[in-house]
Every structure is written in C-alpha cells, then in structure tokens.
Amino acid sequence: SKVREIEADKKIILNFKFDFSEVYQTPVWSTKYYFMNDDFVNMPPDASLHEKEKKRIEQNKTIDSCSRIFVSSRALVDDVGNVKKPVTVILSGHDFNTNHKIKTYSRSLPIVCFMGFIHDTLEVEWIEMLASTNKFEICLIGPVESESVQTKLSIYRNVRIDKPLVGNELQAYLSEADAFIMPYKAVEINTKASVPAKLFQYLACGRPVISGPMPNLIEMPPYFVYQAYSKEEFVEKVNSAIREDDVAKAKERVDYAKKNTWDTRGELMTKIILEDQF
C-alpha cells in the first residue's frame, strides 16, 4: 500500500513473478521492479535440470527488462549479481497484529508448531524424534505436498496436520503454540532465503523458534532462534527454548517483529523508488 501512494503519473510496476518479461516490455511503464523473494528457479527442488534451466531463462528475461531488482536475502544477490542493474536487499515482512497481550502457558504437553508447506525438504526424522519423546503436542499447518511425509507422521498420536489458514485465523492458531519449529534440511533451496517470511510471523506471536541450519540468517537477539545441526540437538533445543522462555523474552520478540512488518518494508521501498524517479 505504501508503494501505491506514489503519484500515478510515474507509471511504475512492481512484480513478484519471475516470468513477467512480456508485460515489462510494454512501453507504458517508465520504471519496472522485480521483487525476487524466493529461489524461484529451483522450486520445486525435485524439478528436472531442464525445467530449472527454463525458469532461469525466463527469470533472466524479466531481470533484463527491469530497472531495479529487490531480493529478500543476501544469498539471493548471487543469483543476479552479474547483471548491470541495481540490486537491493529488502527482507520479507509480515502483516500480523503486534498489539496483543502476551499469553502465559503452563501445560503438561507444550504445543510445538510448524507452519508451511509439508514436503520432503523437511527433516522428518527430527520431527519423529521430537514426537517419540511424548513430551510435546506437535502441530503442522499448511498444504501437504508429500504423502510420504504425511504417512510417516500419521503414526504418532501427538502429531496432527491441519489445513492452511490465513490472516487473523492463522495468527490465532499460531498464538496457541509454546514454540515454533523450522526443521528444514541444509539444502540450498532452504538456506538461500535466509529470513523466511514465517520467521517474523512466528516472532510476532512472541514465541521462540527452533530451526535447522540457517547459515544466512541475519544477526538476531539471543533467545529468538535456536539452531540445531542434528535430530538429537533439535530435541534438546526445543526443550531449552521452552524452559528458558518467559514474558519478557516474548515481549522482546514481538517488539522486534513490530519493526519488520510489510508496512515498514513498503516505506523503505517507496523511498528507494522515489529516489529512482529523480
């Protein structure tokens, strides 16, 4: 919405699709922007090299046609580093409510939650080991893209998979959790997007995050993200994160999330776009 406030006669287009070059090439647009907020070329990970190369060609056409590229992580800069166009890192934001009261919980079975696509890039064995301790209720919410993952997890009575939600309903669901997990495999498709949008959504709910390796993660305060490098360490970090959590830490996470909304990103992008016009 911030970007839309720029004067209409500027004829600006901001696009998030990697295969948008034909629209860019129409003469109506004075300034064209491409926001590369994920590793689109390598999605899905199991696509053939031929399919990925076709996507790269399309993305290169889009990049060639635009005035500036926005990327959502420093690692993604490498994908467009050879082009003679300005490249600006704009981290993904969130639109969750950050003016809520911090809940306190005292449950015999803390709730651990994952939000996102349920597919083979998850460390399923890590989730299984966490479930086998019988110390947690584990919720996964999102589209199921791998029947094998769903089958493996369905044998655990303390694991449930729920259909996707959006907006206020999604935040209400996530706000019941005691901790959030991002047990992704250490593969490029996961590590390139160093600050997934879900991270700020998680922090907006006030709870700690336990992840797999995130080598490109921006520097964050203590007690925000606990990184694990094995399934044993993952279980240990989940226990630690919940044990060490308190209202003060939760408030600090929410305050941090307030500075990382899509509105704040829009203000920064608007400033850059206006500077490009003169």
Side-chain angles (χ1 to χ4, degrees):
S1 63
K2 295 292 181 184
V3 176
R4 291 194 191 104
E5 293 171 11
I6 298 173
E7 296 177 38
D9 62 355
K10 297 297 182 185
K11 304 298 183 186
I12 294 164
I13 183 169
L14 174 63
N15 158 61
F16 287 75
K17 289 177 65 65
F18 72 93
D19 53 352
F20 213 60
S21 59
E22 288 186 14
V23 176
Y24 275 170
Q25 289 163 10
T26 58
V28 67
W29 309 112
S30 62
T31 315
K32 295 156 279 191
Y33 296 94
Y34 170 42
F35 197 131
M36 182 178 170
N37 65 331
D38 216 326
D39 187 8
F40 298 122
V41 168
N42 293 305
M43 294 171 62
D46 57 356
S48 69
L49 292 177
H50 176 67
E51 286 298 315
K52 291 178 181 179
E53 184 58 26
K54 283 174 61 178
K55 286 186 176 182
R56 186 173 298 282
I57 291 169
E58 287 300 315
Q59 180 167 267
N60 286 343
K61 288 180 183 177
T62 297
I63 289 170
D64 288 342
S65 303
C66 71
S67 310
R68 178 186 293 272
I69 306 108
F70 293 111
V71 296
S72 62
S73 80
R74 299 198 182 281
L76 289 172
V77 174
D78 294 338
D79 281 10
V80 294
N82 295 325
V83 300
K84 295 180 180 179
K85 303 285 177 70
V87 181
T88 304
V89 177
I90 299 282
L91 301 177
S92 293
H94 74 91
D95 57 2
F96 274 11
N97 173 28
T98 53
N99 297 312
H100 56 81
K101 185 178 179 181
I102 303 298
K103 294 183 180 181
T104 57
Y105 299 116
S106 179
R107 301 187 178 104
S108 56
L109 283 180
I111 296 175
V112 176
C113 182
F114 168 81
M115 172 187 65
F117 290 98
I118 300 162
H119 49 45
D120 294 325
T121 62
L122 292 175
E123 291 280 14
V124 181
E125 289 186 2
W126 293 22
I127 302 173
E128 288 183 289
M129 187 168 185
L130 189 66
S132 66
T133 67
N134 291 313
K135 294 181 179 178
F136 308 97
E137 181 181 345
I138 302 170
C139 307
L140 295 89
I141 176 170
V144 176
E145 293 195 337
S146 170
E147 291 185 9
S148 64
V149 171
Q150 186 175 32
T151 300
K152 287 178 182 178
L153 296 177
S154 65
I155 67 172
Y156 298 95
R157 298 180 62 182
N158 57 334
V159 175
R160 77 170 192 262
I161 298 177
D162 292 322
K163 293 181 180 179
L165 296 172
V166 297
N168 293 334
E169 286 185 313
L170 175 60
Q171 184 169 5
Y173 179 100
L174 296 179
S175 293
E176 294 300 315
D178 297 271
F180 298 108
I181 55 174
M182 297 194 300
Y184 290 117
K185 294 179 180 177
V187 293
E188 191 175 45
I189 189 69
N190 290 331
T191 61
K192 257 190 183 179
S194 61
V195 184
K198 68 166 62 68
L199 177 57
F200 293 122
Q201 291 175 301
Y202 283 168
L203 295 177
C205 297
R207 299 304 171 196
V209 180
I210 305 89
S211 79
M214 295 180 67
N216 297 304
L217 180 66
I218 61 170
E219 185 175 351
M220 305 198 80
Y223 306 110
F224 278 39
V225 179
Y226 297 68
Q227 293 191 59
Y229 296 87
S230 68
K231 58 185 179 183
E232 294 81 10
E233 187 179 17
F234 180 67
V235 174
E236 177 188 326
K237 291 291 179 70
V238 171
N239 278 298
S240 298
I242 293 174
R243 183 177 63 251
E244 294 168 0
D245 197 21
D246 55 37
V247 172
K249 293 185 182 70
K251 185 178 184 304
E252 188 179 352
R253 297 183 193 108
V254 174
D255 287 344
Y256 186 91
K258 286 180 182 178
K259 303 172 186 177
N260 289 278
T261 64
W262 276 119
D263 279 345
T264 60
R265 301 291 186 254
E267 290 169 1
L268 176 57
M269 291 172 68
T270 300
K271 180 177 182 294
I272 293 168
I273 290 170
L274 285 172
E275 289 173 352
D276 284 346
Q277 305 305 304
F278 301 101

